[in-house]
């Protein structure tokens, strides 16, 4: 992909990053049922080096309203990951960006962002996050968060409204940096630019939950 190669060259990481083809061949979404929260997730392992992955998981209601609907996102990242972002529309620009970084033992900070240029994304009030009472930690090897997002499944690009199809596949993208945010406890911290960004086609239908609301309540969200 043009953007991947261009960006890898920019970051000076051509030898360290996997090619788009490798990523596409090796991985595909699978269904994962999380024993901690009880949600069924569609899971994708995004390679950010030849040997390391960040795990992205998505749980959706099986019978969502026709407009915007809630989604649960769970991300598991190795401690080497300084911040990671998920782009719900599969590009850096004009779609909700879920950025997160570890914050010591307090559990990760999640930050809502939006970019209109290939520079530090601004904050985005169109999406809000509620951290679930389960599924958040940082230990010696990994950090992980689990959050309800309101505003991640539908947005306006300025020229059109995009709504994710909960029973189909669509393009997602992620970004990774080993660099640490300047204020890890703040959801408006500045972040260093990513070293790797890549996209994949994600099958959301593997993470549908008939008991979505009930599971939210079980995980501390009323
Ligand atoms: C720290 C601030 C950031 C800066 C300075 C930055 C800068 C850039 C630059 C220069 C490119 C290359 C554009 C090209 O090759 O033409 C790029 C691409 C990309 N970035 Fe960022 N970025 C930042 C944050 C983010 C975040 C938070 C995400 C969230 C997922 C993200 C996702 C992407 C993706 C998916 C691409 C591939 C091209 C595209 O989809 O537009 N970036 N970024
Ligand atoms: C940061 O958190 C506050 C309090 O939960 C919230 O109102 C705000 O929208 C968040 N901002 C970002 C950029 O995530
Ligand atoms: C550390 O956290 C990760 C991610 O949640 C988990 O898979 C792993 O089992 C944890 N390790 C220990 C020793 O608890």
């Amino acid at each position: 992909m043009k953007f991947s190669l261009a960006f890898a060259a920019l970051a000076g990481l051509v030898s360290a990053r996997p090619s788009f083809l490798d990523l596409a061949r090796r991985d595909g979404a699978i269904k994962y049922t999380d024993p901690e929260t009880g949600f069924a997730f569609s899971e994708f392992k995004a390679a950010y080096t030849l040997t390391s992955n960040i795990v992205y998981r998505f749980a959706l209601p099986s019978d969502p309203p026709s407009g915007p609907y809630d989604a649960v996102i769970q991300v598991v990242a190795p401690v080497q990951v300084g911040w990671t972002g998920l782009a719900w529309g599969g590009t850096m620009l004009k779609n909700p960006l879920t950025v997160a970084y570890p914050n010591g033992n307090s559990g990760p900070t999640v930050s809502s962002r939006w970019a209109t240029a290939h520079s530090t994304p601004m904050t985005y009030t169109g999406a809000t996050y509620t951290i679930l009472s389960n599924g958040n930690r940082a230990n010696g090897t990994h950090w992980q968060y689990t959050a309800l997002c309101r505003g991640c499944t539908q947005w306006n690009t300025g020229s059109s409204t995009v709504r994710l199809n909960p029973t189909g596949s669509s393009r997602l993208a992620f970004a990774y940096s080993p660099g640490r945010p300047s204020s890890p406890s703040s959801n408006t911290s500045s972040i260093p630019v990513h070293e790797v960004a890549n996209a994949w086609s994600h099958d959301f239908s593997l993470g549908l939950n008939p008991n979505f609301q009930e599971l939210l309540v079980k995980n501390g969200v009323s």
Side-chain angles (χ1 to χ4, degrees), residues 43-211:
E43 170 188 292
F44 183 77
K45 290 187 167 79
Y48 66 92
T49 70
L50 289 174
T51 53
S52 309
N53 299 313
I54 300 170
V55 182
Y56 296 90
R57 298 180 178 135
F58 303 89
L60 305 180
S62 53
D63 194 16
S66 56
Y69 57 94
D70 291 353
V72 171
I73 176 172
Q74 181 173 76
V75 175
V76 183
V79 286
Q80 292 77 18
V81 174
W83 68 262
T84 182
L86 187 280
W88 292 79
T91 70
M92 180 167 167
L93 307 185
K94 297 182 181 175
N95 65 136
L97 304 176
T98 306
V99 173
Y101 25 90
N103 179 32
N105 294 329
S106 321
T109 299
V110 177
S111 173
S112 180
R113 308 284 175 121
W114 181 277
T116 53
H118 286 115
S119 52
T120 305
M122 59 190 130
T123 60
Y124 177 54
T125 54
T128 54
Y129 296 87
T130 307
I131 301 290
L132 271 50
S133 52
N134 301 301
N136 302 281
R137 78 173 58 77
N139 62 31
T141 62
H142 293 81
W143 54 278
Q144 92 166 59
Y145 72 90
T146 310
L148 167 67
C149 179
R150 296 210 158 109
C152 287
T153 59
Q154 183 172 308
W155 61 92
N156 196 289
T157 64
S159 53
S160 65
T161 297
V162 178
R163 178 181 183 271
L164 293 179
N165 175 3
T167 58
S169 293
S170 50
R171 181 186 158 107
L172 294 177
F174 81 99
Y176 147 81
S177 173
R180 306 282 157 187
S182 53
S183 320
S185 64
S186 164
N187 66 9
T188 58
S189 177
S190 68
I191 51 174
V193 64
H194 39 79
E195 286 195 350
V196 176
N198 218 331
W200 73 97
S201 175
H202 190 88
D203 184 358
F204 286 105
S205 73
L206 298 169
L208 299 181
N209 293 264
N211 51 348

